[in-house]
Amino acid sequence: MGLVEFARSPWGQDVPIHIAWFLIYVCAVGGLGFLIVHAIYVRYFAKEEEFAGSTSPQVAATVPARVARHSFAARAFHWIMAAAMLTLLFTAFLPKVGVQFPWVTYHWIAGLVLSASIIFHIIHASFFMDFWAIWPNKQDMEDASNRLKRGLGQDAPAPRRFAKYPFENKMYHGVIVLTGLGAMLTGIFMMFRVRTGIFPRNPYLFGDMTWGLTYVLHGLCGVGLIALVIVHIYFAMRPEKFVLTKSMVFGDLPKEYYLSHHDPERWVVTERSLAKGAGD
Ligand code: HEM
């Protein structure tokens, strides 16, 4: 049972045409399996969260009652992207599991919405937000390693409180960047294979082998996104993380949550910095 399906070209060559569709189930079950194992671990085995250091009352007094976390533009991007992503997943995979409907047009239109929102996000994050806030650094890795050791019952110092984003969120973002860009770039080329009315159809843009590999890469990114989206929605719904989900709707966090989970030296949010737009 191969991971890729092949077909014979008119020239007698075996060329890949797309991924084997059983990978849909592998990724869906993988995502669901992860959340079941995680939920059991948190419920029965995980210890109480513990961080090193605390904030002085003087610094705490400079923190506003509600701490801005996501600007309106960042929230709009997130929800437009989420709607496009879910539409892409359902239009792509429902027909493969037996729910037949003319999906291709809905699919590429949602693909264009996703692509536009990703391009907007790249420009917004590069020039208007703190670009480096979402990429892992040495401190994150040290803290993550300490948390893992403590989780496994080994001796390790308590980790520092987080900057704006914890290490796990940064890693998740990195993986979604790779899979999202992979699906987007291959998808834009695949639009040359269908009649869109936007540009002339040109199935001869690439040879059979290149087209095949493009479809395989699109499919691999696509099934990967099934697992990633399941895991993302699971964390968004967990009771202890729900405060963060609400911040993606309303834009801010309560001061108490900020002080207990974030280090004001690593994520600076005084009234003055908020006025300068640090709430992106
Ligand atoms: C969540 C992201 C996405 C997923 C899960 C996804 C999944 C899929 C899958 C499974 C197929 C069937 C491929 C095959 O038969 O081998 C497909 C086809 C297609 N996708 Fe996507 N895709 C995504 C994003 C995009 C984007 C961003 C675009 C465009 C910008 C796009 C454009 C297309 C087109 C045009 C086809 C049809 C190709 C054809 O029938 O020849 N997709 N997609």
Side-chain angles (χ1 to χ4, degrees):
M1 191 166 48
L3 301 180
V4 172
E5 276 184 30
F6 289 84
R8 176 123 323 162
S9 78
W11 294 273
Q13 199 190 5
D14 279 334
V15 285
I17 47 169
H18 51 69
I19 57 165
W21 298 123
F22 77 86
L23 290 176
I24 297 173
Y25 299 101
V26 172
C27 289
V29 170
L32 292 171
F34 171 87
L35 70 86
I36 292 168
V37 171
H38 184 271
I40 293 174
Y41 171 75
V42 174
R43 178 84 175 76
Y44 295 105
F45 303 103
K47 297 195 202 96
E48 198 62 31
E49 257 182 336
E50 216 185 313
F51 296 104
S54 61
T55 307
S56 70
Q58 289 89 327
V59 173
T62 65
V63 175
R66 308 276 325 166
V67 174
R69 186 166 190 257
H70 301 296
S71 66
F72 177 75
R75 281 176 279 150
F77 157 74
H78 178 269
W79 293 114
I80 291 173
M81 193 200 59
M85 179 67 79
L86 290 176
T87 308
L88 284 159
L89 288 173
F90 283 114
T91 51
F93 296 123
L94 281 180
K96 310 286 180 294
V97 296
V99 184
Q100 298 304 335
F101 63 101
W103 60 278
V104 177
T105 306
Y106 302 113
H107 186 80
W108 66 254
I109 292 173
L112 288 186
V113 174
L114 181 78
S115 307
S117 70
I118 290 177
I119 291 166
F120 164 80
H121 178 64
I122 293 173
I123 296 171
H124 187 218
S126 305
F127 300 108
F128 300 96
M129 292 161 80
D130 175 6
F131 182 81
W132 297 110
I134 197 66
W135 304 103
N137 58 26
K138 208 166 141 250
Q139 280 193 335
D140 295 323
M141 289 189 222
E142 274 170 21
D143 286 335
S145 138
N146 286 340
R147 269 185 290 135
L148 182 67
K149 283 187 193 148
R150 290 164 72 90
L152 296 173
Q154 296 171 10
D155 222 17
R160 283 158 286 208
R161 280 164 300 153
F162 303 118
K164 187 170 181 187
Y165 297 109
F167 177 72
E168 290 77 358
N169 299 44
K170 293 180 175 185
M171 294 303 288
Y172 181 89
H173 177 263
V175 177
I176 209 104
V177 164
L178 289 179
T179 43
L181 286 180
M184 173 182 135
L185 294 174
T186 48
I188 289 172
F189 283 112
M190 285 157 70
M191 285 179 62
F192 283 99
R193 296 276 295 238
V194 293
R195 224 170 285 283
T196 58
I198 299 175
F199 38 70
R201 187 170 171 271
N202 181 9
Y204 307 107
L205 184 66
F206 299 134
D208 289 338
M209 183 59 90
T210 310
W211 273 127
L213 292 175
T214 305
Y215 275 66
V216 168
L217 185 56
H218 193 76
L220 286 177
C221 292
V223 288
L225 283 161
I226 298 178
L228 289 168
V229 168
I230 290 176
V231 169
H232 183 76
I233 295 175
Y234 160 71
F235 279 116
M237 286 166 47
R238 282 206 58 89
E240 75 279 9
K241 306 267 188 248
F242 204 64
V243 58
L244 301 176
T245 310
K246 279 207 306 213
S247 82
M248 195 42 99
V249 177
F250 300 109
D252 52 16
L253 285 174
K255 174 176 180 171
E256 303 70 48
Y257 183 91
Y258 166 79
L259 289 174
S260 58
H261 288 77
H262 297 277
D263 182 344
E265 280 179 21
R266 299 178 75 192
W267 176 23
V268 182
V269 295
T270 57
E271 302 276 6
R272 203 163 53 82
S273 69
L274 288 176
K276 286 190 341 209
D280 288 328

